Amino acid sequence: MVRMLQWAAVLCIALGVASCGKSGVDAKRIEAAAAGEWLTYGRTYDEQRFSPLDQVNKDTVSRLGVSWSADFDTDRGQEATPLVADGVLYTTTTWSKVFAFDAKTGKQLWTYDPQVPGEKGFDACCDVVNRGVALWKGKVYVGALDGRLIALDAKTGKVVWSVQTTDPKQPYTITAAPRAVKGKILIGNGGAEYPVRGYLSAYDAETGKLDWRFHMTPNPTGAPDGAASDKAMKDFAYKTWNDGAWKQGGGGATPWDAVTYDVKSDLIFVGTGNAGPWNGKIRTGGKGDNLFAASIVALRPDTGEYVWHYQTTPRDDWDFDAVQHLMVADLPIGGKTQRVVMQANKNGFFYVLDAVSGKLVSADKFVPVDWATGVDLKTGRPVEAPGARYEDGTVQTQTPGALGGHNWQPMAFNPKEGLVFIPAQTIYGSYTDPKEFSFIPGAWNLGLGRGADGPKVKRPAAMGELIAWDPVAKKARWKAAFAEPWRSGVLATAGGLVFHAAGHEFIAFDAATGKALWRYNAGAGAIAAASTYAIDDEQYVALMVGFGGAGGMGGEEPRRKGRLLVFKLDGKMVPKPFPVPVVLPPLDLASATPAKGDLTKGEALSAQFCRTCHNDGGYLPVLTRSPVILDPVGFKAIVLDGARKPHGMAPFRRFFNEASAEDLRAYLLAEAAKAPPVVKAAMTHGR
Ligand code: CA
């Protein structure tokens, strides 16, 4: 296959085909998908993440070693898939920074930092991550955390144009890789936990002018937006909502990850986020299906016109975003070849839909599922288990929970084996209806009672599996089990290999059997998916390594800074050891200025504003072990006035006052006194 690539290059030169030349990634190149390149997030438009390269295979993989590596300045989540075109590797790190490397030597060619304001970190539900770039005709496109879509010159990294795709005053974020389709750059947004009103936009790749926009929830006033979504909203979507708190936030349904273009049906498929607030009783008085939240929506790429939708979780009550990887393939179903869209949904069901009509082909449990007994193939609706909607005030503990049976981590497909490899997880979650609810603009507004995350709620242990799923037989052919629930995305190759990372180990599995054939200790966890490419007759495998984003890495300690590892056969490089972390002594509570605050009020503030990010296994420091709680002056400077804005800690004076800050500090000191002293490695944060 590497040889084929060389012939392709010779052909390009001989024919003088412009699209083969430098800086000419276009539709033909993405469709034809030269074996040695990785031109869009899922490699090609169908997003199968399957590479035809086979130099690294079952026989040779034991010789795989590091060829080159690059270190980054941050120890926060690394989620990007590296893209490779014309010998250049493009990747992103936290805070939406872009890097270009010589893909053969690892020499850094340029870097671009969009200088996202630090306080924007508070608007990112799930860390300040970024999943990568799009390439189109000499430009590199990145969606910045603060809602900008930025076009860079692929050769220099200089800004060509930049547009604000969101209202910067609202808690919108972008973490997804943009997609380049038919001269347009497609970009969605995140923020359904706050919530915001989700939409997908298409911008002209050359000029940055907005071509069309499709809103995923109706305008709460019922008025048209002058957008591509207006007709669908008027015809049927608006009727699926009712009065409730969604009108204050916009209903969520943010398309924050999957956007897949199918060349054959000329449709784009978009996955939408949870309905917001999560609790449907608060959101719409428990009424309606709430379109297009938790749905897969098909649109025409030229106009944004609605074609079909399939709602995976009608009237979502559980944060069951449907944004996970949407993969297109031809499958032999019922004796003929069918073009399908596949998704391993957060809600625990693996969906196969007809790509042209959106009709449900099958929906089967790929992990333990107890919120629903199955999906009715006639209606396409889940058959819910009694009590799943926690409307009676009790705590509903179930699997999957809000982290899902599968999250954003990309899957991969092996067409020869007919298998989809799912990085699956079993993580229980709990939900309860609150006694009262008031909407707080700009803050998390889930509409859950505090009992749902309290210490009294006991959940079964979390675990993870890499599942080789046969979408035709509708069952797993093999599984590999892991202690780590939250792991990396997946890469599949014609070498018969499946690459996947768990904890510190990067592993190559036999695609047919699930046998682990090669293991490499990266010295740090990985959650991103690997990509692969070839240059000068050599195949490379690239993986971003780094701490775990929303799911954390099970309290991995000490945390390591981000690193890009690039492997090839007989690679002999030994990456330098990670820097020794700065170790913090146990908290000296005797030196604390006593707090005079109210513990009950402090606990409520912690639950509302702090605990989601600052917790064991989470991605920000555990506050009950942080010296900042010892001193009221320094504490208020950070919490109320934003002394740590550059690191993502927004000022909270808009949410509470001096007395509340002292209530919070009192609660944190009381909790710290209950916990044993712990020596901790300091976070580096990094910008
Ligand atoms: Ca969500």
Side-chain angles (χ1 to χ4, degrees), residues 125-126 192-193 254 256 273-275 278 316 319-321 346 402:
C125 74
C126 308
E193 273 59 49
T254 47
W256 58 264
N274 61 278
W278 289 4
D316 168 40
D319 187 29
F320 283 160
D321 309 67
K346 243 178 151 181

